[in-house]
mmCIF file of all heavy atoms in Angstrom:
data_model
loop_
_atom_site.group_PDB
_atom_site.id
_atom_site.type_symbol
_atom_site.label_atom_id
_atom_site.label_comp_id
_atom_site.label_asym_id
_atom_site.label_seq_id
_atom_site.Cartn_x
_atom_site.Cartn_y
_atom_site.Cartn_z
ATOM 1 N N LYS H 13 59.635 -53.135 209.353
ATOM 2 C CA LYS H 13 60.257 -52.866 210.595
ATOM 3 C C LYS H 13 61.614 -52.269 210.350
ATOM 4 O O LYS H 13 62.480 -52.940 209.791
ATOM 5 C CB LYS H 13 60.359 -54.120 211.482
ATOM 6 C CG LYS H 13 60.944 -53.872 212.859
ATOM 7 C CD LYS H 13 61.053 -55.142 213.632
ATOM 8 C CE LYS H 13 61.673 -54.904 214.946
ATOM 9 N NZ LYS H 13 62.051 -56.123 215.647
ATOM 10 N N PHE H 14 61.868 -51.070 210.778
ATOM 11 C CA PHE H 14 63.167 -50.406 210.557
ATOM 12 C C PHE H 14 63.922 -50.468 211.905
ATOM 13 O O PHE H 14 63.612 -49.712 212.876
ATOM 14 C CB PHE H 14 62.964 -48.946 210.138
ATOM 15 C CG PHE H 14 62.452 -48.813 208.767
ATOM 16 C CD1 PHE H 14 61.090 -48.718 208.495
ATOM 17 C CD2 PHE H 14 63.361 -48.928 207.679
ATOM 18 C CE1 PHE H 14 60.603 -48.583 207.250
ATOM 19 C CE2 PHE H 14 62.810 -48.847 206.401
ATOM 20 C CZ PHE H 14 61.462 -48.630 206.153
ATOM 21 N N ASP H 15 64.894 -51.376 211.942
ATOM 22 C CA ASP H 15 65.708 -51.501 213.130
ATOM 23 C C ASP H 15 67.117 -51.528 212.655
ATOM 24 O O ASP H 15 67.426 -51.522 211.447
ATOM 25 C CB ASP H 15 65.313 -52.676 214.009
ATOM 26 C CG ASP H 15 65.400 -54.025 213.240
ATOM 27 O OD1 ASP H 15 66.010 -54.068 212.114
ATOM 28 O OD2 ASP H 15 64.744 -54.984 213.754
ATOM 29 N N ARG H 16 68.085 -51.583 213.576
ATOM 30 C CA ARG H 16 69.487 -51.562 213.245
ATOM 31 C C ARG H 16 69.850 -52.700 212.341
ATOM 32 O O ARG H 16 70.606 -52.606 211.365
ATOM 33 C CB ARG H 16 70.328 -51.548 214.561
ATOM 34 C CG ARG H 16 71.790 -51.438 214.280
ATOM 35 C CD ARG H 16 72.578 -51.342 215.613
ATOM 36 N NE ARG H 16 72.282 -50.070 216.277
ATOM 37 C CZ ARG H 16 72.891 -48.938 215.939
ATOM 38 N NH1 ARG H 16 73.767 -48.882 214.968
ATOM 39 N NH2 ARG H 16 72.602 -47.796 216.574
ATOM 40 N N GLU H 17 69.309 -53.916 212.658
ATOM 41 C CA GLU H 17 69.629 -55.077 211.868
ATOM 42 C C GLU H 17 69.173 -54.948 210.405
ATOM 43 O O GLU H 17 69.939 -55.214 209.445
ATOM 44 C CB GLU H 17 68.976 -56.280 212.494
ATOM 45 C CG GLU H 17 69.292 -57.616 211.821
ATOM 46 C CD GLU H 17 68.681 -58.821 212.499
ATOM 47 O OE1 GLU H 17 68.628 -58.861 213.764
ATOM 48 O OE2 GLU H 17 68.171 -59.686 211.798
ATOM 49 N N TYR H 18 67.943 -54.415 210.263
ATOM 50 C CA TYR H 18 67.469 -54.214 208.849
ATOM 51 C C TYR H 18 68.271 -53.175 208.109
ATOM 52 O O TYR H 18 68.677 -53.366 206.972
ATOM 53 C CB TYR H 18 65.987 -53.772 208.899
ATOM 54 C CG TYR H 18 65.517 -53.408 207.503
ATOM 55 C CD1 TYR H 18 65.109 -54.430 206.566
ATOM 56 C CD2 TYR H 18 65.343 -52.065 207.135
ATOM 57 C CE1 TYR H 18 64.709 -54.062 205.297
ATOM 58 C CE2 TYR H 18 64.858 -51.751 205.857
ATOM 59 C CZ TYR H 18 64.586 -52.743 204.980
ATOM 60 O OH TYR H 18 64.142 -52.433 203.663
ATOM 61 N N LEU H 19 68.641 -52.088 208.820
ATOM 62 C CA LEU H 19 69.417 -51.034 208.195
ATOM 63 C C LEU H 19 70.828 -51.510 207.840
ATOM 64 O O LEU H 19 71.381 -51.132 206.766
ATOM 65 C CB LEU H 19 69.476 -49.806 209.059
ATOM 66 C CG LEU H 19 68.178 -49.009 209.160
ATOM 67 C CD1 LEU H 19 68.228 -47.946 210.201
ATOM 68 C CD2 LEU H 19 67.805 -48.466 207.837
ATOM 69 N N ASP H 20 71.446 -52.387 208.683
ATOM 70 C CA ASP H 20 72.712 -52.982 208.359
ATOM 71 C C ASP H 20 72.644 -53.791 207.095
ATOM 72 O O ASP H 20 73.510 -53.719 206.240
ATOM 73 C CB ASP H 20 73.273 -53.823 209.537
ATOM 74 C CG ASP H 20 73.789 -53.034 210.694
ATOM 75 O OD1 ASP H 20 74.144 -51.859 210.512
ATOM 76 O OD2 ASP H 20 73.838 -53.585 211.809
ATOM 77 N N LEU H 21 71.625 -54.627 207.046
ATOM 78 C CA LEU H 21 71.427 -55.528 205.871
ATOM 79 C C LEU H 21 71.165 -54.657 204.605
ATOM 80 O O LEU H 21 71.777 -54.884 203.574
ATOM 81 C CB LEU H 21 70.297 -56.464 206.085
ATOM 82 C CG LEU H 21 69.855 -57.354 204.926
ATOM 83 C CD1 LEU H 21 71.010 -58.252 204.525
ATOM 84 C CD2 LEU H 21 68.598 -58.158 205.241
ATOM 85 N N LEU H 22 70.341 -53.658 204.782
ATOM 86 C CA LEU H 22 70.062 -52.804 203.639
ATOM 87 C C LEU H 22 71.313 -52.067 203.115
ATOM 88 O O LEU H 22 71.561 -51.971 201.940
ATOM 89 C CB LEU H 22 68.983 -51.785 203.975
ATOM 90 C CG LEU H 22 68.486 -50.841 202.897
ATOM 91 C CD1 LEU H 22 67.915 -51.616 201.693
ATOM 92 C CD2 LEU H 22 67.410 -49.894 203.448
ATOM 93 N N GLN H 23 72.081 -51.601 204.026
ATOM 94 C CA GLN H 23 73.363 -50.894 203.648
ATOM 95 C C GLN H 23 74.277 -51.856 202.909
ATOM 96 O O GLN H 23 74.810 -51.453 201.868
ATOM 97 C CB GLN H 23 74.003 -50.358 204.869
ATOM 98 C CG GLN H 23 75.273 -49.591 204.529
ATOM 99 C CD GLN H 23 75.842 -48.850 205.731
ATOM 100 O OE1 GLN H 23 75.246 -48.715 206.802
ATOM 101 N NE2 GLN H 23 77.035 -48.285 205.583
ATOM 102 N N LYS H 24 74.375 -53.076 203.354
ATOM 103 C CA LYS H 24 75.244 -54.031 202.634
ATOM 104 C C LYS H 24 74.684 -54.316 201.253
ATOM 105 O O LYS H 24 75.483 -54.366 200.254
ATOM 106 C CB LYS H 24 75.337 -55.333 203.407
ATOM 107 C CG LYS H 24 76.222 -55.211 204.666
ATOM 108 C CD LYS H 24 76.266 -56.502 205.489
ATOM 109 C CE LYS H 24 76.971 -56.209 206.754
ATOM 110 N NZ LYS H 24 76.882 -57.351 207.674
ATOM 111 N N LYS H 25 73.397 -54.425 201.113
ATOM 112 C CA LYS H 25 72.801 -54.728 199.832
ATOM 113 C C LYS H 25 72.983 -53.555 198.906
ATOM 114 O O LYS H 25 73.215 -53.668 197.728
ATOM 115 C CB LYS H 25 71.315 -55.036 199.979
ATOM 116 C CG LYS H 25 71.083 -56.395 200.617
ATOM 117 C CD LYS H 25 69.632 -56.674 200.811
ATOM 118 C CE LYS H 25 68.984 -57.221 199.551
ATOM 119 N NZ LYS H 25 67.596 -57.657 199.783
ATOM 120 N N ILE H 26 72.837 -52.299 199.423
ATOM 121 C CA ILE H 26 73.016 -51.139 198.577
ATOM 122 C C ILE H 26 74.489 -50.968 198.150
ATOM 123 O O ILE H 26 74.788 -50.727 196.981
ATOM 124 C CB ILE H 26 72.543 -49.851 199.332
ATOM 125 C CG1 ILE H 26 71.042 -49.876 199.425
ATOM 126 C CG2 ILE H 26 72.993 -48.551 198.619
ATOM 127 C CD1 ILE H 26 70.431 -48.767 200.274
ATOM 128 N N GLU H 27 75.359 -51.229 199.057
ATOM 129 C CA GLU H 27 76.818 -51.101 198.746
ATOM 130 C C GLU H 27 77.184 -52.106 197.656
ATOM 131 O O GLU H 27 78.073 -51.814 196.827
ATOM 132 C CB GLU H 27 77.694 -51.259 199.976
ATOM 133 C CG GLU H 27 77.584 -50.096 200.892
ATOM 134 C CD GLU H 27 78.255 -50.343 202.244
ATOM 135 O OE1 GLU H 27 78.562 -51.485 202.599
ATOM 136 O OE2 GLU H 27 78.507 -49.338 202.951
ATOM 137 N N SER H 28 76.635 -53.280 197.694
ATOM 138 C CA SER H 28 76.990 -54.290 196.696
ATOM 139 C C SER H 28 75.983 -54.260 195.449
ATOM 140 O O SER H 28 76.061 -55.208 194.589
ATOM 141 C CB SER H 28 76.956 -55.703 197.323
ATOM 142 O OG SER H 28 75.651 -56.028 197.811
ATOM 143 N N ASN H 29 75.167 -53.258 195.365
ATOM 144 C CA ASN H 29 74.190 -53.119 194.307
ATOM 145 C C ASN H 29 73.224 -54.281 194.191
ATOM 146 O O ASN H 29 72.922 -54.689 193.063
ATOM 147 C CB ASN H 29 74.908 -52.808 193.023
ATOM 148 C CG ASN H 29 73.917 -52.065 192.017
ATOM 149 O OD1 ASN H 29 73.071 -51.335 192.457
ATOM 150 N ND2 ASN H 29 74.178 -52.190 190.723
ATOM 151 N N LYS H 30 72.779 -54.826 195.301
ATOM 152 C CA LYS H 30 71.857 -55.937 195.280
ATOM 153 C C LYS H 30 70.512 -55.563 195.819
ATOM 154 O O LYS H 30 69.564 -56.320 195.870
ATOM 155 C CB LYS H 30 72.403 -57.082 196.191
ATOM 156 C CG LYS H 30 73.771 -57.601 195.831
ATOM 157 C CD LYS H 30 73.705 -58.462 194.577
ATOM 158 C CE LYS H 30 75.066 -59.054 194.385
ATOM 159 N NZ LYS H 30 75.396 -59.154 192.997
ATOM 160 N N ALA H 31 70.356 -54.271 196.207
ATOM 161 C CA ALA H 31 69.099 -53.825 196.725
ATOM 162 C C ALA H 31 68.066 -53.651 195.589
ATOM 163 O O ALA H 31 68.417 -53.291 194.456
ATOM 164 C CB ALA H 31 69.240 -52.444 197.423
ATOM 165 N N THR H 32 66.842 -53.897 195.917
ATOM 166 C CA THR H 32 65.739 -53.748 194.927
ATOM 167 C C THR H 32 65.155 -52.345 194.917
ATOM 168 O O THR H 32 65.475 -51.580 195.904
ATOM 169 C CB THR H 32 64.596 -54.704 195.305
ATOM 170 O OG1 THR H 32 63.998 -54.326 196.521
ATOM 171 C CG2 THR H 32 65.133 -56.155 195.338
ATOM 172 N N THR H 33 64.367 -52.034 193.925
ATOM 173 C CA THR H 33 63.730 -50.743 193.954
ATOM 174 C C THR H 33 62.819 -50.582 195.152
ATOM 175 O O THR H 33 62.736 -49.458 195.712
ATOM 176 C CB THR H 33 62.905 -50.504 192.617
ATOM 177 O OG1 THR H 33 61.939 -51.507 192.508
ATOM 178 C CG2 THR H 33 63.794 -50.454 191.470
ATOM 179 N N GLU H 34 62.196 -51.611 195.599
ATOM 180 C CA GLU H 34 61.295 -51.581 196.738
ATOM 181 C C GLU H 34 62.134 -51.255 198.033
ATOM 182 O O GLU H 34 61.668 -50.522 198.918
ATOM 183 C CB GLU H 34 60.554 -52.905 196.946
ATOM 184 C CG GLU H 34 59.422 -53.049 195.975
ATOM 185 C CD GLU H 34 58.384 -51.970 196.007
ATOM 186 O OE1 GLU H 34 57.873 -51.671 197.113
ATOM 187 O OE2 GLU H 34 58.059 -51.373 194.932
ATOM 188 N N GLU H 35 63.319 -51.744 198.063
ATOM 189 C CA GLU H 35 64.191 -51.401 199.278
ATOM 190 C C GLU H 35 64.631 -49.993 199.237
ATOM 191 O O GLU H 35 64.691 -49.293 200.329
ATOM 192 C CB GLU H 35 65.362 -52.394 199.335
ATOM 193 C CG GLU H 35 64.849 -53.789 199.689
ATOM 194 C CD GLU H 35 65.931 -54.877 199.504
ATOM 195 O OE1 GLU H 35 66.672 -54.821 198.511
ATOM 196 O OE2 GLU H 35 66.008 -55.799 200.369
ATOM 197 N N TYR H 36 64.970 -49.460 198.082
ATOM 198 C CA TYR H 36 65.232 -48.013 197.975
ATOM 199 C C TYR H 36 63.995 -47.165 198.355
ATOM 200 O O TYR H 36 64.123 -46.190 199.081
ATOM 201 C CB TYR H 36 65.692 -47.641 196.597
ATOM 202 C CG TYR H 36 67.133 -47.953 196.306
ATOM 203 C CD1 TYR H 36 67.466 -49.069 195.544
ATOM 204 C CD2 TYR H 36 68.209 -47.226 196.854
ATOM 205 C CE1 TYR H 36 68.797 -49.423 195.272
ATOM 206 C CE2 TYR H 36 69.499 -47.520 196.590
ATOM 207 C CZ TYR H 36 69.814 -48.642 195.819
ATOM 208 O OH TYR H 36 71.104 -48.950 195.604
ATOM 209 N N LYS H 37 62.816 -47.614 197.927
ATOM 210 C CA LYS H 37 61.601 -46.892 198.303
ATOM 211 C C LYS H 37 61.441 -46.902 199.785
ATOM 212 O O LYS H 37 61.008 -45.919 200.446
ATOM 213 C CB LYS H 37 60.347 -47.491 197.592
ATOM 214 C CG LYS H 37 60.245 -47.230 196.163
ATOM 215 C CD LYS H 37 58.980 -47.894 195.603
ATOM 216 C CE LYS H 37 58.976 -47.864 194.090
ATOM 217 N NZ LYS H 37 57.873 -48.634 193.550
ATOM 218 N N SER H 38 61.712 -48.054 200.395
ATOM 219 C CA SER H 38 61.509 -48.175 201.863
ATOM 220 C C SER H 38 62.486 -47.240 202.582
ATOM 221 O O SER H 38 62.118 -46.665 203.593
ATOM 222 C CB SER H 38 61.664 -49.627 202.313
ATOM 223 O OG SER H 38 62.993 -50.046 202.286
ATOM 224 N N LEU H 39 63.672 -47.111 202.083
ATOM 225 C CA LEU H 39 64.672 -46.212 202.679
ATOM 226 C C LEU H 39 64.218 -44.791 202.593
ATOM 227 O O LEU H 39 64.226 -44.043 203.541
ATOM 228 C CB LEU H 39 66.056 -46.415 202.047
ATOM 229 C CG LEU H 39 67.108 -45.461 202.552
ATOM 230 C CD1 LEU H 39 67.346 -45.693 204.053
ATOM 231 C CD2 LEU H 39 68.423 -45.681 201.810
ATOM 232 N N ASP H 40 63.690 -44.392 201.396
ATOM 233 C CA ASP H 40 63.188 -43.074 201.231
ATOM 234 C C ASP H 40 61.951 -42.775 202.210
ATOM 235 O O ASP H 40 61.889 -41.665 202.817
ATOM 236 C CB ASP H 40 62.724 -42.794 199.786
ATOM 237 C CG ASP H 40 63.735 -41.954 198.976
ATOM 238 O OD1 ASP H 40 64.662 -41.322 199.576
ATOM 239 O OD2 ASP H 40 63.631 -41.986 197.764
ATOM 240 N N PHE H 41 61.096 -43.823 202.381
ATOM 241 C CA PHE H 41 60.000 -43.707 203.310
ATOM 242 C C PHE H 41 60.515 -43.512 204.695
ATOM 243 O O PHE H 41 59.998 -42.648 205.468
ATOM 244 C CB PHE H 41 59.115 -44.943 203.207
ATOM 245 C CG PHE H 41 58.000 -44.914 204.219
ATOM 246 C CD1 PHE H 41 56.846 -44.186 204.053
ATOM 247 C CD2 PHE H 41 58.166 -45.667 205.377
ATOM 248 C CE1 PHE H 41 55.843 -44.164 205.010
ATOM 249 C CE2 PHE H 41 57.176 -45.646 206.338
ATOM 250 C CZ PHE H 41 55.997 -44.874 206.152
ATOM 251 N N PHE H 42 61.505 -44.268 205.089
ATOM 252 C CA PHE H 42 61.974 -44.214 206.472
ATOM 253 C C PHE H 42 62.676 -42.839 206.761
ATOM 254 O O PHE H 42 62.519 -42.262 207.834
ATOM 255 C CB PHE H 42 62.941 -45.372 206.793
ATOM 256 C CG PHE H 42 63.368 -45.492 208.222
ATOM 257 C CD1 PHE H 42 62.399 -45.484 209.233
ATOM 258 C CD2 PHE H 42 64.689 -45.616 208.502
ATOM 259 C CE1 PHE H 42 62.821 -45.596 210.597
ATOM 260 C CE2 PHE H 42 65.086 -45.744 209.888
ATOM 261 C CZ PHE H 42 64.167 -45.747 210.876
ATOM 262 N N ILE H 43 63.420 -42.379 205.795
ATOM 263 C CA ILE H 43 64.077 -41.045 205.933
ATOM 264 C C ILE H 43 63.033 -39.987 206.087
ATOM 265 O O ILE H 43 63.110 -39.156 207.017
ATOM 266 C CB ILE H 43 65.009 -40.776 204.697
ATOM 267 C CG1 ILE H 43 66.205 -41.681 204.725
ATOM 268 C CG2 ILE H 43 65.447 -39.320 204.743
ATOM 269 C CD1 ILE H 43 67.095 -41.659 203.482
ATOM 270 N N LYS H 44 61.987 -40.028 205.263
ATOM 271 C CA LYS H 44 60.911 -39.050 205.342
ATOM 272 C C LYS H 44 60.206 -39.124 206.720
ATOM 273 O O LYS H 44 59.935 -38.115 207.343
ATOM 274 C CB LYS H 44 59.862 -39.206 204.237
ATOM 275 C CG LYS H 44 58.800 -38.145 204.346
ATOM 276 C CD LYS H 44 57.766 -38.251 203.246
ATOM 277 C CE LYS H 44 56.682 -37.182 203.220
ATOM 278 N NZ LYS H 44 56.354 -36.551 204.470
ATOM 279 N N SER H 45 59.929 -40.371 207.172
ATOM 280 C CA SER H 45 59.174 -40.527 208.434
ATOM 281 C C SER H 45 60.015 -40.182 209.627
ATOM 282 O O SER H 45 59.514 -39.890 210.705
ATOM 283 C CB SER H 45 58.575 -41.858 208.497
ATOM 284 O OG SER H 45 59.590 -42.844 208.638
ATOM 285 N N THR H 46 61.337 -40.229 209.518
ATOM 286 C CA THR H 46 62.237 -40.023 210.628
ATOM 287 C C THR H 46 62.691 -38.578 210.693
ATOM 288 O O THR H 46 62.620 -37.929 211.719
ATOM 289 C CB THR H 46 63.461 -40.902 210.534
ATOM 290 O OG1 THR H 46 63.028 -42.264 210.448
ATOM 291 C CG2 THR H 46 64.331 -40.773 211.778
ATOM 292 N N VAL H 47 63.144 -37.989 209.581
ATOM 293 C CA VAL H 47 63.692 -36.662 209.574
ATOM 294 C C VAL H 47 62.989 -35.647 208.615
ATOM 295 O O VAL H 47 63.411 -34.589 208.403
ATOM 296 C CB VAL H 47 65.174 -36.672 209.239
ATOM 297 C CG1 VAL H 47 65.957 -37.306 210.427
ATOM 298 C CG2 VAL H 47 65.472 -37.349 207.969
ATOM 299 N N ASP H 48 61.850 -36.154 208.086
ATOM 300 C CA ASP H 48 60.977 -35.321 207.220
ATOM 301 C C ASP H 48 61.688 -34.732 206.002
ATOM 302 O O ASP H 48 61.501 -33.585 205.685
ATOM 303 C CB ASP H 48 60.275 -34.190 208.047
ATOM 304 C CG ASP H 48 59.073 -33.714 207.333
ATOM 305 O OD1 ASP H 48 58.459 -34.412 206.599
ATOM 306 O OD2 ASP H 48 58.777 -32.468 207.545
ATOM 307 N N ILE H 49 62.509 -35.572 205.384
ATOM 308 C CA ILE H 49 63.140 -35.196 204.056
ATOM 309 C C ILE H 49 62.527 -36.069 203.007
ATOM 310 O O ILE H 49 62.887 -37.293 202.948
ATOM 311 C CB ILE H 49 64.698 -35.349 204.107
ATOM 312 C CG1 ILE H 49 65.258 -34.449 205.244
ATOM 313 C CG2 ILE H 49 65.224 -34.932 202.737
ATOM 314 C CD1 ILE H 49 66.736 -34.647 205.372
ATOM 315 N N PRO H 50 61.599 -35.591 202.244
ATOM 316 C CA PRO H 50 60.941 -36.485 201.241
ATOM 317 C C PRO H 50 61.881 -36.728 200.040
ATOM 318 O O PRO H 50 62.653 -35.946 199.649
ATOM 319 C CB PRO H 50 59.694 -35.632 200.778
ATOM 320 C CG PRO H 50 60.094 -34.216 201.084
ATOM 321 C CD PRO H 50 61.028 -34.255 202.252
ATOM 322 N N ASN H 51 61.799 -38.007 199.595
ATOM 323 C CA ASN H 51 62.510 -38.418 198.394
ATOM 324 C C ASN H 51 64.004 -38.138 198.430
ATOM 325 O O ASN H 51 64.608 -37.722 197.439
ATOM 326 C CB ASN H 51 61.886 -37.807 197.155
ATOM 327 C CG ASN H 51 60.430 -38.175 196.967
ATOM 328 O OD1 ASN H 51 60.101 -39.363 197.158
ATOM 329 N ND2 ASN H 51 59.618 -37.220 196.769
ATOM 330 N N TYR H 52 64.626 -38.394 199.529
ATOM 331 C CA TYR H 52 66.090 -38.101 199.716
ATOM 332 C C TYR H 52 66.944 -38.793 198.630
ATOM 333 O O TYR H 52 67.763 -38.205 197.972
ATOM 334 C CB TYR H 52 66.565 -38.486 201.119
ATOM 335 C CG TYR H 52 67.963 -38.256 201.338
ATOM 336 C CD1 TYR H 52 68.459 -37.032 201.671
ATOM 337 C CD2 TYR H 52 68.899 -39.347 201.266
ATOM 338 C CE1 TYR H 52 69.806 -36.744 201.911
ATOM 339 C CE2 TYR H 52 70.257 -39.130 201.494
ATOM 340 C CZ TYR H 52 70.688 -37.823 201.798
ATOM 341 O OH TYR H 52 72.038 -37.598 202.004
ATOM 342 N N VAL H 53 66.681 -40.081 198.451
ATOM 343 C CA VAL H 53 67.494 -40.866 197.523
ATOM 344 C C VAL H 53 67.116 -40.416 196.113
ATOM 345 O O VAL H 53 68.046 -40.115 195.280
ATOM 346 C CB VAL H 53 67.244 -42.318 197.684
ATOM 347 C CG1 VAL H 53 67.980 -43.141 196.609
ATOM 348 C CG2 VAL H 53 67.662 -42.846 199.040
ATOM 349 N N LEU H 54 65.813 -40.333 195.780
ATOM 350 C CA LEU H 54 65.471 -39.837 194.393
ATOM 351 C C LEU H 54 66.026 -38.466 194.080
ATOM 352 O O LEU H 54 66.456 -38.243 192.941
ATOM 353 C CB LEU H 54 63.983 -39.906 194.213
ATOM 354 C CG LEU H 54 63.353 -41.278 193.931
ATOM 355 C CD1 LEU H 54 61.819 -41.180 193.817
ATOM 356 C CD2 LEU H 54 63.905 -41.905 192.639
ATOM 357 N N ASN H 55 65.978 -37.604 195.024
ATOM 358 C CA ASN H 55 66.470 -36.235 194.757
ATOM 359 C C ASN H 55 68.005 -36.261 194.579
ATOM 360 O O ASN H 55 68.557 -35.520 193.774
ATOM 361 C CB ASN H 55 66.131 -35.274 195.920
ATOM 362 C CG ASN H 55 64.658 -34.973 196.000
ATOM 363 O OD1 ASN H 55 63.962 -35.063 194.892
ATOM 364 N ND2 ASN H 55 64.190 -34.569 197.078
ATOM 365 N N SER H 56 68.707 -37.142 195.250
ATOM 366 C CA SER H 56 70.141 -37.299 194.997
ATOM 367 C C SER H 56 70.412 -37.809 193.650
ATOM 368 O O SER H 56 71.337 -37.392 192.976
ATOM 369 C CB SER H 56 70.715 -38.241 196.074
ATOM 370 O OG SER H 56 70.656 -37.676 197.371
ATOM 371 N N LEU H 57 69.567 -38.775 193.149
ATOM 372 C CA LEU H 57 69.742 -39.318 191.825
ATOM 373 C C LEU H 57 69.443 -38.291 190.770
ATOM 374 O O LEU H 57 70.141 -38.254 189.724
ATOM 375 C CB LEU H 57 68.876 -40.504 191.663
ATOM 376 C CG LEU H 57 69.085 -41.703 192.589
ATOM 377 C CD1 LEU H 57 68.056 -42.831 192.290
ATOM 378 C CD2 LEU H 57 70.477 -42.238 192.484
ATOM 379 N N ALA H 58 68.458 -37.524 190.982
ATOM 380 C CA ALA H 58 68.073 -36.476 190.036
ATOM 381 C C ALA H 58 69.181 -35.491 189.668
ATOM 382 O O ALA H 58 69.283 -34.964 188.545
ATOM 383 C CB ALA H 58 66.814 -35.727 190.464
#
């Protein structure tokens, strides 16, 4: 479930480097499903 509360928590975890690979995958999935940009995070890392 992608809601404001989840995104706030995810942002805090990413900023403190506590997010898991699955959470990064979920963010990439949500970005793709919302604005149709596939692999946004992975492409930034590349």
Side-chain angles (χ1 to χ4, degrees):
K13 180 181 177 191
F14 290 95
D15 57 18
R16 184 174 292 278
E17 184 178 320
Y18 174 76
L19 289 172
D20 284 338
L21 175 64
L22 183 57
Q23 183 169 349
K24 287 176 186 171
K25 289 177 83 173
I26 289 172
E27 288 171 346
S28 63
N29 203 27
K30 304 285 187 217
T32 66
T33 58
E34 287 301 309
E35 289 168 321
Y36 281 103
K37 285 180 193 175
S38 72
L39 178 59
D40 259 343
F41 174 81
F42 188 50
I43 291 169
K44 182 180 182 332
S45 65
T46 305
V47 292
D48 199 30
I49 300 174
N51 301 315
Y52 178 80
V53 175
L54 279 178
N55 289 338
S56 296
L57 298 178

